[in-house]
Amino acid sequence: MSARQDSKGSSEARPQVRIQDFYSDYLPPFDARAVVARLIDAVPAKYLRRLDAIVLTNQGSLSRDRRRSPTMSRKRKVRIRDAAGLYHQEWQGKPAWIEVFVDRIIGDSERSVRWRIPLVREMFVGEVVYHELGHHVHKVLRPEFREREDVADDWSTRFLSAYIRRNYWYLLPVAYLIKLVLRVGRALGLVKPD
């Protein structure tokens, strides 16, 4: 474990979250492990406590029974084959871990040029990784009495926004300018509202 300085100057041990690849007859079009490592490195240490690993895998590595087995999402059953990621909470002495189905994130656009753009792949992968991390934060550190998927979505947005501000700060003025042009365009009737 390494020590890291927080904003108040005190050092605390940063939890080591293992990132593992476990693919079956599949190779993602980019280094998913490196993307997840960058995403996790940007998360404050307190949110990683008691999280053991993030496993990057594909649907083909799951047994038929597991692909067909259900998980709960927004108070209804969803098959695991339709999920892009799963959070596995601590259970019977085993630590919490996250499972990410990289092939579900990429979908049919494996050969798309967008996977060559770091910001794009970090946003797509980050949305899933941070959503599942949001489940961990909700379960272990900050329980809330709201729909758990909504809480995870809020944490995902928070973590992803902080990541973009930290790593792509130079794009924020451009994003602000685009937002301003769209707002003026809508006000003048030149752009259709969402």
Side-chain angles (χ1 to χ4, degrees), residues 149-166:
E149 294 299 323
D150 292 339
V151 174
D153 285 343
D154 290 348
W155 279 106
S156 177
T157 301
R158 182 183 297 179
F159 288 139
L160 198 53
S161 295
Y163 179 81
I164 290 170
R165 279 192 310 273
R166 176 182 169 193

Side-chain angles (χ1 to χ4, degrees), residues 57-93:
T57 188
N58 64 317
Q59 295 281 323
S61 67
L62 302 176
S63 68
R64 181 177 183 271
D65 288 342
R66 181 128 189 272
R67 273 195 307 269
R68 297 183 62 162
S69 64
T71 186
M72 294 299 290
S73 177
R74 301 193 190 279
K75 299 181 183 174
R76 63 185 179 95
K77 289 182 181 180
V78 177
R79 289 194 175 159
I80 289 178
R81 72 173 177 220
D82 297 326
L86 296 171
Y87 170 67
H88 302 276
Q89 66 186 24
E90 295 175 318
W91 180 255
Q92 297 180 344

Side-chain angles (χ1 to χ4, degrees), residues 29 106 108-116:
I106 294 169
D108 294 333
S109 65
E110 191 168 309
R111 298 193 188 277
S112 175
V113 71
R114 71 176 160 194
W115 301 119
R116 294 183 189 155

Side-chain angles (χ1 to χ4, degrees), residues 17 22 32 46-47 53 65 75 108 125 143 171:
V17 177
F22 186 74
K46 64 184 176 182
Y47 299 117
D65 288 342
K75 299 181 183 174
D108 294 333
V125 174
L171 294 177

Side-chain angles (χ1 to χ4, degrees), residues 109-136:
S109 65
E110 191 168 309
R111 298 193 188 277
S112 175
V113 71
R114 71 176 160 194
W115 301 119
R116 294 183 189 155
I117 304 168
L119 174 62
V120 172
R121 61 180 176 239
E122 289 165 1
M123 286 180 66
F124 275 89
V125 174
E127 184 178 5
V128 174
V129 170
Y130 287 155
H131 176 90
E132 301 308 327
L133 183 59
H135 283 302
H136 178 69

Side-chain angles (χ1 to χ4, degrees), residues 1-12:
M1 292 195 187
S2 62
R4 175 179 266 200
Q5 293 279 333
D6 67 10
S7 59
K8 296 176 184 164
S10 66
S11 65
E12 72 178 54

